[in-house]
Amino acid sequence: MQVDAWDPAYVSDDGVTQSKAKVDAGIEVPLAEWGPRDPADTSLPSSVLLVDGVRRLDAHLWLTPDDNGEARPGICASYAAGVVRCSTAGGAKVVASRVMHGLFTSAKDAPSLRAYPTAVYTAHRVGDGETGDLVNAVQQHLRALEIAVTDQAEVQDDELLIVDGPLHGRAHVPRALGYIKSHRVQYLTAELIRVVNALKAGQRTPVFALDTSWERYSWYLRLPGADVPAAGLVRLEASMDLTLDQVTTLADNAARVLPRLASSPYKDPRAPQNLTPIAGLEKRLRTLLGDQRLLQRGLRAAARLTRY
């Protein structure tokens, strides 16, 4: 009996579902040779660039038209995305960051709100106003902001770029790898999942082709610091625009570099998957969001002065 260090607050209540995606697991090695792979002794990238974002719901509000129509709910949210560059020789630096504020509501022609001189909550009309729809819209805008800062990252030929979450929407960025920390969908057969669970720290599975609503390469990697069979696992994705040789080189580079960046349970409840530089980037981005109490005060003042 073993206890997973991963904070249960980050585990989906829906469990793991078996995907119906098309999987070709025999592109790097035949299925009969599937097993844990140690990374090849390739030259290390000079730097690793990591992209991530954070969000915060600052306030809930109600919008009632001047004609005393039906009140519509809304949420005011702040979100930010950034890039941190980690040199393999040591040291990390935030090289890009952007902060946005938004008012998300189903109310027609909702006005933007200026809560502070530098904090304008731009109005976005969303669906029918269900709370889940509003929160999902915030997440979609955060993902778009992450894509924008990814496009700003000037990736050199000897650098590795890791983006948080699936690669969808960012496959055009050179040498970009999607980094998936939690696993709500099972893509491989039970036999191949046994290979995944048998990985030791620093080992990866063979690369396989994955086709859902879009095609990409994928593979699993085990990070150090987790003794539970299914813990410490991350799944990575790469663009189908790359050759298989290019992808396996990137997979080996990731297997050699990312374990060095793994976090520890006493520092991060999402250890080891939430990499230490990512945790530092998230802390910096949350600071850039601004003081929530001051923003709430500014939103109250703006709401009193704004007619709708």
Side-chain angles (χ1 to χ4, degrees):
M1 186 178 296
Q2 299 165 300
V3 177
D4 194 336
W6 183 270
D7 190 329
Y10 295 102
V11 177
S12 171
D13 293 332
D14 300 331
V16 178
T17 59
Q18 181 67 47
S19 172
K20 297 181 180 180
K22 296 179 181 178
V23 176
D24 184 356
I27 60 172
E28 183 179 3
V29 298
L31 290 178
E33 298 178 16
W34 248 69
R37 298 178 67 85
D38 293 315
D41 189 16
T42 59
S43 58
L44 289 175
S46 62
S47 301
V48 180
L49 282 77
L50 301 155
V51 182
D52 200 8
V54 299
R55 71 180 191 188
R56 185 185 66 206
L57 303 185
D58 292 331
H60 291 266
L61 69 162
W62 293 91
L63 296 92
T64 306
D66 288 338
D67 59 3
N68 293 322
E70 180 184 359
R72 291 284 185 174
I75 57 175
C76 289
S78 298
Y79 48 101
V83 182
V84 58
R85 174 179 272 114
C86 305
S87 169
T88 51
K93 181 180 180 181
V94 176
V95 295
S97 62
R98 289 182 63 184
V99 181
M100 301 290 288
H101 307 275
L103 163 57
F104 299 85
T105 178
S106 64
K108 184 179 179 181
D109 300 326
S112 298
L113 295 176
R114 183 178 293 274
Y116 205 66
T118 57
V120 177
Y121 287 77
T122 304
H124 303 282
R125 189 177 183 189
V126 180
D128 297 325
E130 296 290 337
T131 302
D133 293 337
L134 300 180
V135 174
N136 288 338
V138 177
Q139 185 62 35
Q140 291 170 5
H141 279 73
L142 172 58
R143 180 52 56 89
L145 190 60
E146 291 177 356
I147 293 174
V149 298
T150 301
D151 290 338
Q152 291 179 358
E154 298 180 357
V155 186
Q156 305 302 315
D157 291 340
D158 61 344
E159 292 183 322
L160 189 65
L161 177 65
I162 306 293
V163 300
D164 182 57
L167 194 59
H168 193 51
R170 296 173 283 191
H172 62 284
V173 180
R175 300 175 62 80
L177 299 181
Y179 182 83
I180 296 89
K181 298 187 288 287
S182 57
H183 313 289
R184 300 174 184 175
V185 179
Q186 183 169 301
Y187 295 105
L188 302 177
T189 64
E191 182 179 357
L192 297 183
I193 285 295
R194 284 193 286 270
V195 174
V196 175
N197 291 336
L199 293 175
K200 296 180 180 178
Q203 291 183 325
R204 67 171 179 88
T205 66
V207 173
F208 55 92
L210 180 59
D211 184 3
T212 52
S213 58
W214 58 293
E215 294 181 288
R216 68 276 200 196
Y217 294 106
S218 190
W219 64 95
Y220 289 89
L221 169 67
R222 171 87 70 181
L223 299 177
D227 298 326
V228 182
L233 290 172
V234 294
R235 185 173 63 83
L236 293 107
E237 297 182 343
S239 171
M240 274 288 182
D241 292 337
L242 301 173
T243 67
L244 182 59
D245 287 342
Q246 289 174 320
V247 173
T248 55
T249 297
L250 290 173
D252 287 335
N253 284 342
R256 295 184 65 196
V257 172
L258 296 187
R260 304 181 181 191
L261 306 179
S263 53
S264 302
Y266 74 92
K267 291 183 178 180
D268 193 324
R270 292 172 290 172
Q273 291 97 310
N274 201 49
L275 304 175
T276 298
I278 287 290
L281 175 61
E282 289 175 339
K283 183 177 180 180
R284 173 60 178 162
L285 293 176
R286 289 192 181 97
T287 301
L288 296 178
L289 293 180
D291 187 285
Q292 186 174 13
R293 293 170 298 178
L294 288 177
L295 290 171
Q296 285 180 340
R297 186 185 306 171
L299 285 169
R300 293 191 194 100
R304 286 195 300 268
L305 297 173
T306 303
R307 292 186 64 81
Y308 170 59

